[in-house]
Amino acid sequence: MDVKEIIKPENQVYGKTELLTDNVMHYCPGCTHGVVHKLMAELIDEMGLQEKAIGVAPVGCAVFAYNYIDIDWQEAAHGRAPAVATGIVRINPEKFVFTYQGDGDLASIGAAEIIHACNRGENILVVFINNGIYGMTGGQMAPTTIERMVTSTTPCGRDTELNGYPLKMTDLVAQLPGTSYVTRQSAQSAPAVRKCKRALKKGIKNVLDKKGTSFVEVVSTCNSGWKMTPVKANEWMEENMFPFYPLGDMKDSEKDKPVSNN
Amino acid sequence: MAKVKGAVVVDIEACKGCELCVETCPEDVLSLHKEVNSKGYHYAFMENPDVCTGCANCGVVCPDTCITVYRVKV
Ligand SMILES: Cc1ncc(C[n+]2csc(CCOP(=O)(O)OP(=O)(O)O)c2C)c(N)n1
Ligand code: SF4
Ligand code: SF4
């Protein structure tokens, strides 16, 4: 069968959602941000939330998310997205509000805001892109940098004696009574991306059902910051990040209900 | 014989040659072209179009959403 006979609109099984704009993303080739942007755009489209969704993007590579996903956005100062999202959702409880934060942003300068937003159980979804470094500024060590990981500020690898221990934010927020759904996902392969999409969908649903804060970490690569090819970065992540950041649901409950281990 | 046949179209100008689709394709359909696009990236293309099943794995992993996938029953 000729390719031309297959390539017809009625045979299309996968394509770009209309919620993604035609702007070429500024992200480096192979960057996980692109995949997660796509998932959020697809879900907002499929769930009919374009008019309802407000994204809050703080400082980090994803600060330009408003260029790519055609919904309402609000910028926030570094780390402050959960505080800004709190204000937005309290004034507009009928909206679907989410933050989209890097690990430098969420785990370091924004540690207070995320902990308290989760502890208050604000009705927001937090999308947490954990690539283990400060991507936008040149690959410096972040709180999430794993032990012995080489970064531009730990050229000999993270030394816990000197630099302290890597911080598992997702494990921390799972302990808080305000969170309902807390999970750690990844997006390096087709099955992982599909699973990640289901997790984000569940997070969105929980927010719409006003169950409290949903928190979806995506263990990610920053191949330019890590100084690897995208394919190599995925392998490195599977080998080195996944043992420290195991994937899976950490909490699936309702606000103020005890943590379930199922 | 396969019960489905697939084909993909790559948005050549949007492709950044990251190779994630090439790596993920279970049928080894895709490769990076020796030619480059206007930004200098070697773009993905169907080197072995005959074996594509239209599984869409390539499209799903593409960070720049450059791939449209088509599938027919045969
Ligand atoms: C108050 C403030 N401090 C520092 C910066 C500089 N800065 C810009 S991006 C960034 C790091 C963001 O890293 P991360 O949140 O991990 O996101 P990524 O770029 O890796 O996606 C920093 C420190 C800033 N813009 N504002
Ligand atoms: S649709 Fe599946 S078989 Fe076809 S090129 Fe993409 S990954 Fe390969
Ligand atoms: S995954 Fe997308 S950007 Fe990367 S090489 Fe394939 S088509 Fe190009």
Side-chain angles (χ1 to χ4, degrees), chain A residues 33 59-62 78 101-106 109 129 131 133-137 142 222:
Chain A
H33 277 305
V59 166
C61 283
H78 209 1
Q101 307 179 250
D103 50 327
D105 181 85
L106 181 145
I109 192 169
I129 306 297
N131 56 24
I133 53 168
Y134 289 83
M136 191 181 220
T137 42
C222 171

Side-chain angles (χ1 to χ4, degrees), chain A residues 13 190 194, chain B residues 5-8 21-22 24-30 45-46 48-49 51-61 67-71:
Chain A
V13 289
R194 292 190 173 105
Chain B
K5 266 199 71 49
V8 307
C21 58
V22 177
T24 213
C25 173
E27 313 295 339
D28 282 334
V29 174
L30 303 167
F45 79 111
M46 286 204 288
N48 305 306
V51 289
C52 176
T53 61
C55 70
N57 283 4
C58 53
V60 167
V61 299
I67 303 181
T68 311
V69 184
Y70 301 85
R71 184 168 59 217

